[in-house]
Amino acid sequence: MSPNGSDRSPRRSMRRKLLSALTLGLVLATATGCQSSDLPRLGLPTPRDQQGHTVLFLWQSSWIAALAVGALVWGLILWAVFFYRRSRTKVEVPPQFRYNMPLEALFTVVPLIMVSVFFYYTARDETDLLKIDNVQNHVNVVGFQWSWAFNYDFQVDPHNQTAANPNGPGAYDVGTPGQPPTLWLPLGETTEFELTSRDVIHGFWPVDFLMKMDVIPGIVNKFEVTPTALGTFRGKCTELCGVDHSQMLFNVKVVTPAQYQAHLAQLRAKGQGGNVPSGIVTTGAGNLQK
């Protein structure tokens, strides 16, 4: 019996069992082998490209871990409120714990393990999302106040200020705040986006691809997508870039590879061959300047 009249031994045993069970539940919840399609999307749209599934599963896993931690914390709070209420123990102050090295070690080690796991999976998925591999098409996305331009089949090299058109003479499309442009992409083919800006920082976000990246003057940022669904989807700027930021919109149209090539031919037939200034290099049909 304790000095205040309560028997602490059974409670200590129950407490250890409860902590063990909650810890095991947290590990099982965070180590689940579920696929992203088996879980709710928790506010994110359905991914329309291969890379988007990586983003979605990382988002879902983070929520699972957060909910597990929340359940653990609230469970411990409610357990303490219920088992140590004054009407049950008949004591003014419940037993206090000081210098309990196993418990303090647990409270230190578990958060470190959790943060390490979060860091590992975030770094792993970020590396995978930013990897450029087996690219079949290149699109230079140009942000400017306050719309977008798309230079198709065009690669920007920020190191030596040169450019190359690997798939043909190139083509471009330009929008205005009142007439958002449409970015065409071929289904099932990997397209690399090379993001450049002419003026201020913008944010390129094709919403249904679950990936966005800053568009920074003087810097080329890159990522790739592989569309998996036909259709027209939304896109917008995610950085407050000026008075007409809210109108800096665009559409993404995923078509078959044959339709994609036909669209580029139509742009060239309308006189939109070559490329518009990208912010890194100034280009035109057969012209390249710093």
Short mmCIF file of all heavy atoms in Angstrom, two decimals, residues 16 99-109:
data_model
loop_
_atom_site.label_atom_id
_atom_site.label_comp_id
_atom_site.label_asym_id
_atom_site.label_seq_id
_atom_site.Cartn_x
_atom_site.Cartn_y
_atom_site.Cartn_z
N ARG A 16 1.77 -0.06 -17.52
CA ARG A 16 2.78 -0.59 -18.45
C ARG A 16 2.13 -1.34 -19.61
O ARG A 16 2.55 -1.22 -20.75
CB ARG A 16 3.74 -1.50 -17.69
CG ARG A 16 4.66 -0.75 -16.74
CD ARG A 16 5.47 -1.70 -15.90
NE ARG A 16 6.39 -0.98 -15.02
CZ ARG A 16 7.08 -1.56 -14.04
NH1 ARG A 16 6.95 -2.86 -13.82
NH2 ARG A 16 7.90 -0.84 -13.29
N TYR A 99 11.78 11.51 -11.60
CA TYR A 99 13.02 10.79 -11.84
C TYR A 99 12.77 9.33 -12.23
O TYR A 99 13.50 8.42 -11.83
CB TYR A 99 13.94 10.86 -10.61
CG TYR A 99 14.11 12.25 -10.10
CD1 TYR A 99 13.58 12.63 -8.85
CD2 TYR A 99 14.76 13.22 -10.86
CE1 TYR A 99 13.72 13.92 -8.38
CE2 TYR A 99 14.91 14.51 -10.39
CZ TYR A 99 14.39 14.87 -9.16
OH TYR A 99 14.52 16.14 -8.69
N ASN A 100 11.72 9.14 -13.03
CA ASN A 100 11.42 7.80 -13.54
C ASN A 100 12.16 7.64 -14.86
O ASN A 100 11.67 8.04 -15.93
CB ASN A 100 9.91 7.63 -13.74
CG ASN A 100 9.52 6.21 -14.07
OD1 ASN A 100 10.17 5.55 -14.88
ND2 ASN A 100 8.46 5.73 -13.44
N MET A 101 13.35 7.07 -14.78
CA MET A 101 14.22 7.02 -15.95
C MET A 101 13.61 6.23 -17.12
O MET A 101 13.68 6.67 -18.28
CB MET A 101 15.58 6.44 -15.58
CG MET A 101 16.39 7.35 -14.66
SD MET A 101 16.62 9.01 -15.36
CE MET A 101 17.61 8.59 -16.79
N PRO A 102 13.00 5.05 -16.91
CA PRO A 102 12.39 4.35 -18.05
C PRO A 102 11.32 5.18 -18.75
O PRO A 102 11.25 5.21 -19.99
CB PRO A 102 11.81 3.09 -17.41
CG PRO A 102 12.63 2.88 -16.18
CD PRO A 102 12.94 4.24 -15.68
N LEU A 103 10.48 5.88 -17.95
CA LEU A 103 9.43 6.68 -18.55
C LEU A 103 10.00 7.89 -19.29
O LEU A 103 9.56 8.22 -20.40
CB LEU A 103 8.46 7.14 -17.46
CG LEU A 103 7.09 7.65 -17.93
CD1 LEU A 103 6.35 6.56 -18.69
CD2 LEU A 103 6.27 8.13 -16.74
N GLU A 104 11.00 8.55 -18.72
CA GLU A 104 11.61 9.69 -19.38
C GLU A 104 12.34 9.27 -20.66
O GLU A 104 12.32 9.98 -21.67
CB GLU A 104 12.58 10.39 -18.42
CG GLU A 104 11.87 11.08 -17.26
CD GLU A 104 12.84 11.77 -16.32
OE1 GLU A 104 14.06 11.77 -16.63
OE2 GLU A 104 12.40 12.31 -15.29
N ALA A 105 12.97 8.10 -20.61
CA ALA A 105 13.62 7.59 -21.82
C ALA A 105 12.60 7.29 -22.90
O ALA A 105 12.82 7.58 -24.09
CB ALA A 105 14.42 6.33 -21.48
N LEU A 106 11.45 6.74 -22.50
CA LEU A 106 10.38 6.47 -23.47
C LEU A 106 9.90 7.76 -24.12
O LEU A 106 9.73 7.83 -25.34
CB LEU A 106 9.22 5.75 -22.78
CG LEU A 106 8.00 5.48 -23.65
CD1 LEU A 106 8.33 4.42 -24.70
CD2 LEU A 106 6.83 5.02 -22.78
N PHE A 107 9.68 8.80 -23.31
CA PHE A 107 9.19 10.07 -23.84
C PHE A 107 10.22 10.77 -24.72
O PHE A 107 9.88 11.66 -25.49
CB PHE A 107 8.79 11.01 -22.68
CG PHE A 107 7.58 10.56 -21.93
CD1 PHE A 107 7.33 11.04 -20.66
CD2 PHE A 107 6.69 9.66 -22.50
CE1 PHE A 107 6.19 10.63 -19.96
CE2 PHE A 107 5.57 9.24 -21.81
CZ PHE A 107 5.31 9.73 -20.54
N THR A 108 11.49 10.40 -24.60
CA THR A 108 12.54 10.98 -25.44
C THR A 108 12.75 10.18 -26.72
O THR A 108 12.87 10.72 -27.81
CB THR A 108 13.86 11.08 -24.66
OG1 THR A 108 13.66 11.86 -23.49
CG2 THR A 108 14.94 11.71 -25.53
N VAL A 109 12.79 8.86 -26.56
CA VAL A 109 13.12 7.99 -27.69
C VAL A 109 11.98 7.92 -28.70
O VAL A 109 12.22 8.00 -29.92
CB VAL A 109 13.49 6.58 -27.19
CG1 VAL A 109 13.64 5.62 -28.37
CG2 VAL A 109 14.77 6.63 -26.38
#
